[in-house]
Amino acid sequence: MNQIVGKYDILFITLDTLRYDVAQQLFKAGKTPNLAKVLPPTGWEKRHTPGSFTYAAHHAFFAGFLPTPTTPGIHPRLFAVKFEGSSTTTENTYVFNSDNIVSGLADIGYKTVCIGGVGFFNKLTPLSKVLPNLFQESYWSRELGVTDINSTENQINLAQEILETTPLNKKLFLFINISAFHQPNYFYLDKNKPDKKDTIESHGAALEYVDRQLSKLWDIIKKKNNCTFCILCSDHGTAYGENGYTGHRVSDETVWTVPYFEGMI
């Protein structure tokens, strides 16, 4: 990361609530062609999240604790903030002299922007201001949130405005919390469904919807820069009745296992 930070724009997208098994199944079935443009031939990397719900996971992310590889061992981190005794900070880790990576990037000249999605980014209460207030600029509206069937399209249109108005010589850290997978998502399968019940099938339909929007985002990014460092991951999964669980903030494989990608796009 010492060869990337300060030299390239950074795009960090959390696919809020997306399950690893659904993401990988749709990748293998060829149903997410725009994600396939940036993912390796094997698809998503399987990782474990540091938090079982949005608030906890993002606090960890913004302190440099991204989802961890599922294989045993000590896994070096991309980013870290100074912390005595950290065994996962190596010579390849970019270390910030701050209490979070967002302000750390701002300190070295990045413009930091948050496009919110789920409720922890809506800035309507003191609690939901905590994460967006880490950024120099933050945006949220109901059109970007969980109840809008066009939320991802609206988020990417806003990202286009931000990318097009950021000077070419200004490094950008753009964070997007995509909200479409979070409940309610039944309307991506059947918007007239009378019981309005979310299912693993509607969860997958939400991913296909999100994928259709990403082609525009990749094109916009390419117009600004030849290369951007990108992190794509879920913050946690969610259960649809597996092992008796529904939802998240519980200790279940459906929640702890998330899809992950990092690399230049």
Side-chain angles (χ1 to χ4, degrees), residues 145-146 148-152 179-182 184-191 201-207 209-210 212:
V146 297
D148 195 304
I149 196 170
N150 300 309
S151 61
T152 306
S179 63
F181 312 101
H182 198 279
N185 59 47
Y186 70 90
F187 42 64
Y188 292 109
L189 194 62
D190 181 1
K191 64 181 179 181
E201 290 78 17
S202 61
H203 188 93
L207 177 54
Y209 159 72
V210 170
R212 290 194 294 272

Side-chain angles (χ1 to χ4, degrees), residues 1 4 18 39 51 56 88 143 164 199 231:
M1 290 307 295
I4 292 172
L18 177 61
L39 295 176
T88 53
E143 291 73 25
E164 290 180 348
T199 63
I231 300 166

Side-chain angles (χ1 to χ4, degrees), residues 114-116 139-140 144 153-163:
C114 168
I115 297 177
Y139 300 89
W140 188 86
L144 308 177
E153 180 181 0
N154 297 332
Q155 289 177 311
I156 290 174
N157 287 339
L158 177 55
Q160 179 176 11
E161 294 178 29
I162 293 164
L163 285 158

